[in-house]
Amino acid sequence: MNFLENDVDYSYLVDDIMDNNEFKKLSKIPHHGETRLDHSIKVSYISYKICKFLKLDYIQTARAGLLHDFYFDRTANHKKISKKVKLYTTGHPCDALENANNHFILSDKEKDIIKAHMFPFDFRIPKYLEGWVVNLVDTGISFFEFTKKFSYKLNTALNIWLILIVNLRK
């Protein structure tokens, strides 16, 4: 990701996280057709840029955004994920927070951003504007990654619907 080399300010804020060996393991975990590391970097960087523009706390946002999916899930084999979707969506923020706490010193704001990033799928509501930014950016990026991964299936479904509609009108 070119922006990591080009944005020295951002890199400076997250270098210790990016250099952490445990965190680097996220590069091996698939996530919405990419890796969990790539997804986390995108969420972090876009949230950082938005918060910087809005004059919010972009430092804690960048760090918490990077750590929001720092977990090693119980569904890593992805074979039983359909049975554990509820646990996956509502359980992983706490797993990520626990893991982040074990490796980094976190502020209360960073903890809240990580813990509440799955609202409204989880009952935890972000307490800070920065948490809302990460929540919305994560949702948008996840939706984009998911639709990109399954775009051929979505195109097929759309084509079938269009054929049905055209045939029903005849």
Side-chain angles (χ1 to χ4, degrees):
M1 298 189 180
N2 291 340
F3 56 81
L4 290 175
E5 293 100 30
N6 296 337
D7 195 329
V8 178
D9 293 335
Y10 174 78
S11 293
Y12 177 76
L13 298 175
V14 298
D15 269 349
D16 64 317
I17 298 171
M18 296 294 290
D19 290 339
N20 181 281
N21 287 330
E22 198 68 14
F23 184 77
K24 287 178 185 179
K25 291 178 183 177
L26 295 180
S27 67
K28 305 277 190 248
I29 301 173
H31 191 78
H32 304 301
E34 298 190 357
T35 70
R36 192 170 301 149
L37 178 63
D38 290 339
H39 167 80
S40 296
I41 291 170
K42 286 180 195 172
V43 170
S44 172
Y45 188 72
I46 292 171
S47 298
Y48 157 82
K49 293 299 268 186
I50 291 169
C51 285
K52 199 169 188 180
F53 176 78
L54 295 174
K55 299 191 183 336
L56 297 173
D57 187 345
Y58 59 88
I59 296 170
Q60 292 185 70
T61 302
R63 296 179 63 75
L66 198 53
L67 295 168
H68 83 280
D69 276 345
F70 182 32
Y71 69 99
F72 303 98
D73 57 11
R74 302 166 199 123
T75 58
N77 62 8
H78 296 289
K79 291 177 184 169
K80 298 179 182 176
I81 195 163
S82 61
K83 295 179 182 177
K84 297 186 178 184
V85 169
K86 183 172 175 63
L87 179 63
Y88 169 77
T89 57
T90 59
H92 85 268
C94 291
D95 294 343
L97 177 58
E98 182 181 337
N99 209 25
N101 253 334
N102 289 337
H103 295 278
F104 306 100
I105 297 170
L106 303 174
S107 70
D108 288 341
K109 185 182 285 187
E110 290 168 328
K111 290 175 185 177
D112 185 71
I113 292 170
I114 295 167
K115 188 171 47 177
H117 83 269
M118 284 302 294
F119 181 80
F121 301 107
D122 192 359
F123 63 88
R124 295 172 193 92
I125 300 171
K127 294 179 186 174
Y128 304 95
L129 287 174
E130 294 85 352
W132 284 102
V133 170
V134 170
N135 178 286
L136 293 170
V137 169
D138 181 42
T139 301
I141 287 175
S142 295
F143 180 77
F144 174 77
E145 291 168 347
F146 185 78
T147 55
K148 186 173 107 179
K149 178 180 178 182
F150 295 105
S151 63
Y152 69 94
K153 290 182 181 179
L154 294 171
N155 286 335
T156 302
L158 180 61
N159 287 335
I160 290 170
W161 275 107
L162 290 174
I163 290 168
L164 285 172
I165 290 170
V166 168
N167 286 325
L168 289 174
R169 295 195 83 210
K170 288 182 180 182

